Amino acid sequence: MIEIAELSLREISLQLREPFHISSGSTDVRRVVLVRLEDRDGVEGWGECVAGETPHYSSETVDTAWLAIRDWVAPRVVGIPLSRPEECHERLDAAIRGHRMARAAAEMAVWDLAARRESVALSVLLGGVRDRVATGISLGLQPDPATLVRKAILARDAGYRRIKLKIAPDRDISFVSAVREALGESVPLSVDANAAYSLADIDRLKALDGLDLTMLEQPFDGDDLVRHAALQRVLRTPICLDESITSTARLEDMVTLDAGRIVNLKPGRVGGLTEARTIHDHAGRHRIPVWCGGMLETGVGRAHNVALASLPQFELPGDLSPSARYWVRDIVTPPWTMEDGTLRVPREHSGIGVDIDHDYVDDLTTRAETIGG
Ligand code: OSB
Ligand code: MG
């Protein structure tokens, strides 16, 4: 039995090593909401909210998540016994429409706490099987093809197993073909449009089809499953859905419509690890490859992603770059490091498997609030 005594919210502010540009917006200083839970026995659990500062990737933001966690999530987590971590998801899903990133932050903290209570690794508790997870890199939009080529070569030389290029209608074919030319045929390349296109751009998208891409991620709006299906009918390249897949039902819709053939799975986007694991299981049944996406997380969110990516169906490299790609100093110890294009899954430690650098988190904190206690 799990009984949460208090939920603490913190917002920290952490400077990215370099600004990250995608078609829908940019991030330079990352404002991150962290959730810390403590149970009646003093066991803690940590979660991270992936919402950004502005609603450019999804409608949620740092500020809407703070409100949702404080006013709607916390009262359903604190002081009400849970017999297993999955129950937290069921309870939040029944009571709160949307706000999946807010719900996920608390739900994932419950999973960490449950694992620590049992002294097992989060990966083990979730049913993970891998000791190492393969790592890709997501390169943001660049001012010109030459700059993008330089970064792609550095990424290949660093050992990343797949290189993803952000694209937009004014930065696509010439940029992607320059990278393909520089790297040759053997490097797995994919592109991510973050919903910047419409069916009117079909000729541009068909031109990308000839560049031997592993996938074309989220060309259209998240709601546009039918239009994605129309596009998939005329492309050889598999469409990968990210923003569109907010639940198991959306995955089922994708399969039914053939709106996409690969899924970028982010626990933060779907309400947490319980729903992410269900999507993983369904995808496996439909033989849809899944990979773990990223949202410029600190070491806390990355730990949850790594644990999820250790599940059997994650056969493609994830957006799981090491800490040093994002931060001068991460908020966890040890930081996440890459070896031979992989991150190690900390399966011998209990919970998320990394320690929080409490003093550093205190230094970075811009607001804090505790519910319960
Ligand atoms: O679409 O996958 C995305 C970052 C912020 C918002 C959306 C996305 C991304 C990334 C970064 O691609 C992946 C990473 O964390 O390295
Ligand atoms: Mg994406």
Side-chain angles (χ1 to χ4, degrees):
M1 191 65 79
I2 301 163
E3 202 172 338
I4 309 295
E6 65 173 48
L7 181 155
S8 305
L9 270 166
R10 304 210 170 220
E11 183 182 325
I12 61 168
S13 177
L14 198 56
Q15 173 87 49
L16 278 167
R17 272 209 137 117
E18 52 181 67
F20 190 74
H21 305 289
I22 67 178
S23 63
S24 53
S26 298
T27 311
D28 180 8
V29 176
R30 187 82 173 84
R31 288 173 59 199
V32 181
V33 177
L34 297 173
V35 171
R36 178 185 177 277
L37 300 175
E38 190 175 319
D39 75 2
R40 302 246 174 262
D41 302 318
V43 179
E44 59 177 15
W46 284 81
E48 171 171 345
C49 183
V50 300
E53 180 162 5
T54 59
H56 69 264
Y57 168 84
S58 85
S59 60
E60 289 188 80
T61 69
V62 166
D63 297 298
T64 68
W66 186 281
L67 172 85
I69 297 170
R70 185 192 62 198
D71 290 357
W72 306 316
V73 173
R76 293 176 170 84
V77 171
V78 177
I80 309 172
L82 294 163
S83 57
R84 36 192 195 94
E86 289 87 346
E87 226 176 273
C88 175
H89 170 69
E90 289 155 19
R91 193 182 292 162
L92 295 177
D93 203 46
I96 302 168
R97 239 181 257 288
H99 298 282
R100 290 187 169 84
M101 294 177 176
R103 280 152 48 185
E107 195 260 8
M108 290 157 90
V110 167
W111 273 99
D112 177 31
L113 185 144
R116 292 186 204 218
R117 280 190 69 85
E118 293 182 29
S119 301
V120 295
L122 177 59
S123 161
V124 173
L125 190 63
L126 285 168
V129 293
R130 294 168 203 281
D131 293 323
R132 311 201 69 98
V133 295
T135 300
I137 191 170
S138 171
L139 296 175
L141 293 171
Q142 301 299 324
D144 51 73
T147 310
L148 182 61
V149 166
R150 245 189 337 270
K151 293 199 181 244
I153 289 172
L154 286 173
R156 181 207 44 203
D157 294 347
Y160 287 101
R161 302 271 181 102
R162 181 268 290 136
I163 299 175
K164 168 168 127 181
L165 311 173
K166 292 293 187 179
I167 56 167
D170 63 341
R171 272 174 273 186
D172 53 17
I173 301 154
S174 59
F175 287 69
V176 180
S177 39
V179 173
R180 176 51 86 205
E181 215 156 282
L183 297 186
E185 309 269 277
S186 62
V187 177
L189 262 190
S190 69
V191 294
D192 185 358
N194 289 107
Y197 292 78
S198 74
L199 269 180
D201 300 307
I202 197 133
D203 292 337
R204 304 201 70 78
L205 296 166
K206 279 187 181 164
L208 290 170
D209 208 26
L211 294 172
D212 193 22
L213 302 172
T214 313
M215 65 191 102
L216 162 60
E217 187 174 335
Q218 198 72 43
F220 302 153
D221 187 76
D223 290 336
D224 275 349
L225 283 178
V226 171
R227 290 171 186 82
H228 280 108
L231 178 64
Q232 184 69 86
R233 280 198 287 279
V234 299
L235 292 187
R236 215 164 36 96
T237 310
I239 292 176
C240 167
L241 294 182
D242 172 355
E243 284 90 332
S244 290
I245 306 299
T246 49
S247 65
T248 309
R250 288 296 82 67
L251 183 267
E252 293 294 340
D253 294 348
M254 179 193 99
V255 172
T256 303
L257 295 167
D258 191 23
R261 298 183 178 159
I262 300 179
V263 170
N264 171 344
L265 190 43
K266 298 174 176 172
R269 188 194 62 221
V270 302
L273 289 164
T274 308
E275 186 72 6
R277 196 174 56 179
T278 307
I279 293 173
H280 161 274
D281 295 348
H282 281 238
R285 249 169 261 144
H286 293 297
R287 309 211 178 290
I288 298 286
V290 296
W291 55 279
C292 185
M295 292 287 289
L296 311 174
E297 287 91 347
T298 75
V300 173
R302 198 162 308 282
H304 287 277
N305 288 348
V306 165
L308 180 70
S310 73
L311 292 175
Q313 207 61 34
F314 284 87
E315 274 160 13
L316 296 169
D319 281 343
L320 296 165
S321 298
S323 298
R325 150 128 178 92
Y326 309 91
W327 321 110
V328 172
R329 179 177 165 193
D330 204 339
I331 63 167
V332 299
T333 52
W336 294 95
T337 54
M338 184 165 75
E339 224 180 276
D340 191 25
T342 65
L343 299 188
R344 208 175 60 76
V345 183
R347 287 171 62 90
E348 308 80 40
H349 299 74
S350 71
I352 58 173
V354 284
D355 291 322
I356 314 292
D357 184 339
H358 290 100
D359 291 339
Y360 188 41
V361 169
D362 284 346
D363 289 347
L364 299 171
T365 297
T366 53
R367 56 172 161 164
E369 203 167 328
T370 295
I371 295 100

